Amino acid sequence: MVLAVLAGIVIAVITAVLAARAGKAEAERKAHEAIAIARGEAAAEIKAAELEAAARKKAIETAARAEALAIRTARDEDLARAEAEVERRAEAVTRAEASVSALADALEAREDEIAGGQRELQSRRDRATGLERDAAKKLEGRKAELESRAGVRAAELIANLGQAWLDDARARAAAELRAIDQSAADPAHDREARRIMEIAAARYHHHYLTERAMNHLRIGKDLVAVLLDTGGGERSMHKSLERVSGLQLLVNDEHDAIRLDGLDGVGKEMVRRAIGRLVKKPETLDDARKDPDAWAQKARDHLEQEIRALGKRAFQTLGIPKAHPEIVELVGALNFRTSYTQNQWWHAVEASYLAGMMAAELGLDVKLARRATLMHDIGKALTHKIEGSHAVIGADIARRLGEPEVVANAIGAHHADEPCNSVYAYLVAASDAMSGARPGARRELAEGFTAKIEDLERIGMSRRGVINAHAVHGGRELRVYVRERDVDDLTVVEMSTEIAQQIAEEMTFPGQIKVTVIRAFEATSTAN
């Protein structure tokens, strides 16, 4: 509306200006008329605006009153619901108070009952204490009377009875030991032992390949040059492999092959795999050149993961609970140790199966026999830095890592380094010998075999009264023939024992060697 008024005034002014040009009088007249018209129109517009504003104000006030009424109605409804909820909760509180009051009355009555029971119990305890005192007095009186009649005190009588029982038990144990010693030479025991061993050996079946250590790697001049190249750094790949593996890598004169100088089977396998990976994947050569130490250590870490997996596999294959992680790793490391070309991991598993089958035949714990046998060679997985025989080292490790004493003793006794304290120790020794003596299990060089035969026959011929000494069964038995007139029966037994001890002290051999001394009486006559 204000804009309309302003527009009218502007029109009037413009009209006045125009009129001034046409004529002053006419212009003034027209200007007054225009102004009057504009004022009328402006007054009309203002009146209309006032009426419209009053209508809008009334509408707004009506809407506000309606909204306020709706809000008040909603608030009244909420208040009504809240009051109803308060009344409901008040009723619930009243009921709860009544329940608590009843419970308190019941608890009070229960406490009174318990107090009465405690008083009754204390009264009975007092009566029992009195009866016990009376009984103790009567017992002491009876005891004193019996001691006076018997003429000996009760403590002395108990000591005498205990000593008598101990003497009787010792006598029975000595008698049983004598009976065992007397029956030890019974051929029936030998036949039964052979039967059990034959059953176990016949039941076990597995195919093995004789393994040979690969000490020479012919890899070509180019790769040898790469291994020896320092690349401007402080360490070459060759030196990194030596440091991580613990071996010496000697290059031949032609510089096309490397000889692994050392006896650590794990280190040799680590070097072979690291170099084999370079041959198969030449793209890894750049990374190996950049950081040879990390490259060599990565190869060692991969092999150690496989060793742990092999240890777990051995326990899972035999169905026995896993041992300490350190023992599991030692069992897995046996896969890279050989004894006369026999893989020691497979040897441990094979011997464990044999021990388990013999234990089953004897009614013993099969899993315990397998467990002790599986760990019997873990000392072989360690280096020379730990002194002692592998059996003693393995037994010490088993004891330190929480294995039962029967298992540790079986490990330490399987080569007679400590006395056998259980039948499982004998089972471990027997299964170890059976696995090592299996045909094809181990092999020796021809020169070593010839020297072994010569040493056996030399030791056999070194005794007085010996006629001949022959190594038979591939050097696993020595038969010594003596003169009947020079050697008696008792000397024959002593001679077999002495020869066996000398063989064990002077020679190194797998398995066992049986010594048989034969004293035969020969009668000769001539018929004409």
Side-chain angles (χ1 to χ4, degrees):
M1 292 300 177
V2 176
L3 294 175
V5 173
L6 292 176
I9 295 173
V10 170
I11 294 171
V13 172
I14 293 172
T15 304
V17 171
L18 295 174
R21 293 178 179 178
K24 187 176 182 180
E26 184 65 21
E28 290 180 353
R29 184 182 61 80
K30 290 182 179 182
H32 286 297
E33 291 178 356
I35 291 171
I37 293 170
R39 287 179 177 173
E41 292 178 354
E45 293 288 340
I46 292 171
K47 184 67 174 177
E50 290 178 351
L51 292 175
E52 184 178 357
R56 289 186 177 181
K57 180 180 179 182
K58 185 174 181 181
I60 291 171
E61 289 177 351
T62 302
R65 290 192 187 96
E67 184 177 359
L69 181 61
I71 292 173
R72 182 176 180 180
T73 303
R75 294 293 175 82
D76 291 340
E77 292 177 355
D78 294 340
L79 180 61
R81 286 194 295 271
E83 290 176 350
E85 179 66 19
V86 169
E87 290 179 357
R88 185 183 64 77
R89 293 187 177 182
E91 293 177 355
V93 169
T94 303
R95 291 194 298 270
E97 289 177 349
S99 177
V100 169
S101 178
L103 182 60
D105 294 340
L107 288 175
E108 185 176 357
R110 183 61 177 171
E111 288 176 355
D112 294 340
E113 182 180 354
I114 291 173
Q118 289 179 346
R119 288 192 296 271
E120 178 65 21
L121 180 60
Q122 186 62 38
S123 176
R124 292 185 179 183
R125 284 178 178 173
D126 294 339
R127 289 197 299 271
T129 303
L131 292 175
E132 287 177 356
R133 284 196 295 267
D134 294 341
K137 290 179 180 179
K138 291 181 179 180
L139 181 61
E140 289 294 331
R142 296 290 179 84
K143 182 178 179 181
E145 183 180 356
L146 288 174
E147 288 179 350
S148 63
R149 290 185 179 183
V152 62
R153 297 185 62 82
E156 297 177 0
L157 180 60
I158 293 173
N160 293 336
L161 289 174
Q163 188 62 40
W165 292 338
L166 287 175
D167 293 340
D168 182 58
R170 291 193 182 99
R172 288 199 304 270
E176 291 180 1
L177 286 176
R178 286 194 299 271
I180 292 173
D181 291 337
Q182 292 173 1
S183 63
D186 188 352
H189 295 326
D190 294 338
R191 289 194 298 270
E192 180 64 17
R194 282 195 294 269
R195 185 188 70 84
I196 292 174
M197 295 173 69
E198 288 174 358
I199 291 174
R203 288 179 59 191
Y204 186 74
H205 174 70
H206 199 282
H207 179 67
Y208 295 100
L209 293 176
T210 301
E211 298 186 5
R212 293 187 180 182
M214 295 178 59
N215 296 324
H216 291 78
L217 301 178
R218 190 166 296 278
I219 57 178
K221 294 183 179 181
D222 295 338
L223 189 53
V224 170
V226 170
L227 293 177
L228 296 176
D229 183 19
T230 60
E234 298 179 356
R235 191 185 298 274
S236 65
M237 297 167 63
H238 176 270
K239 294 298 182 183
S240 297
L241 286 176
E242 286 188 336
R243 183 185 61 81
V244 176
S245 66
L247 305 174
Q248 284 187 341
L249 277 62
L250 305 178
V251 181
N252 65 347
D253 296 336
E254 290 78 12
H255 282 69
D256 62 351
I258 290 178
R259 182 168 66 88
L260 308 181
D261 188 15
L263 298 177
D264 185 6
V266 176
K268 289 182 179 181
E269 184 65 20
M270 171 255 167
V271 173
R272 286 196 294 268
R273 292 191 180 189
I275 296 178
R277 185 174 178 83
L278 289 179
V279 174
K280 292 181 180 179
K281 295 184 177 180
E283 63 272 12
T284 61
L285 185 58
D286 293 336
D287 295 336
R289 282 176 170 175
K290 292 178 182 178
D291 194 349
D293 287 347
W295 165 72
Q297 188 61 45
K298 183 178 180 181
R300 182 82 184 201
D301 294 340
H302 286 170
L303 184 59
E304 289 178 352
Q305 290 179 2
E306 182 175 339
I307 287 174
R308 287 190 288 271
L310 283 169
K312 294 177 182 178
R313 177 185 167 192
F315 283 89
Q316 293 172 355
T317 301
L318 295 171
I320 56 179
K322 285 192 297 186
H324 190 276
E326 185 174 340
I327 293 180
V328 174
E329 290 186 9
L330 291 175
V331 172
L334 291 176
N335 188 60
F336 305 103
R337 297 288 191 275
T338 58
S339 177
Y340 294 91
T341 72
Q342 184 182 29
N343 182 290
Q344 291 300 283
W345 189 89
W346 279 112
H347 163 66
V349 173
E350 177 185 10
S352 299
Y353 275 120
L354 293 173
M357 287 185 285
M358 289 189 291
E361 293 291 335
L362 295 172
L364 302 175
D365 189 338
V366 174
K367 290 188 177 181
L368 181 58
R370 289 182 176 180
R371 187 180 191 85
T373 310
L374 179 63
M375 303 180 192
H376 78 281
D377 273 342
I378 57 175
K380 290 184 178 180
L382 299 172
T383 63
H384 65 281
K385 296 180 181 179
I386 300 179
E387 296 182 354
S389 70
H390 73 277
V392 174
I393 294 172
D396 292 341
I397 292 174
R399 291 187 177 97
R400 177 171 58 85
L401 298 180
E403 288 296 320
E405 177 59 26
V406 64
V407 174
N409 173 254
I411 296 173
H414 79 276
H415 282 317
D417 292 293
E418 61 181 71
C420 297
N421 295 335
S422 68
V423 67
Y424 295 98
Y426 293 100
L427 283 178
V428 172
S431 59
D432 176 48
M434 291 171 64
S435 177
R438 174 176 55 80
R442 300 181 178 182
R443 63 184 299 274
E444 300 179 77
L445 296 177
E447 297 83 356
F449 178 76
T450 303
K452 174 183 176 181
I453 298 300
E454 291 176 353
D455 288 340
L456 286 175
E457 294 180 350
R458 174 184 56 81
I459 293 173
M461 292 295 295
S462 64
R463 296 299 190 277
R464 183 184 62 85
V466 175
I467 304 173
N468 289 311
H470 302 292
V472 297
H473 294 164
R476 298 192 179 278
E477 182 179 355
L478 176 63
R479 293 181 182 177
V480 180
Y481 297 87
V482 299
R483 297 185 184 92
E484 186 270 336
R485 63 178 179 274
D486 295 336
V487 181
D488 57 19
D489 292 340
L490 181 59
T491 307
V492 168
V493 177
E494 295 176 350
M495 184 181 295
S496 65
T497 303
E498 293 173 358
I499 293 175
Q501 291 176 351
Q502 184 176 355
I503 291 173
E505 293 172 359
E506 297 183 5
M507 297 179 59
T508 301
F509 52 89
Q512 296 176 334
I513 296 178
K514 180 181 179 182
V515 177
T516 304
V517 179
I518 302 173
R519 177 178 179 264
F521 176 78
E522 295 182 2
T524 303
S525 62
T526 302
N528 293 324

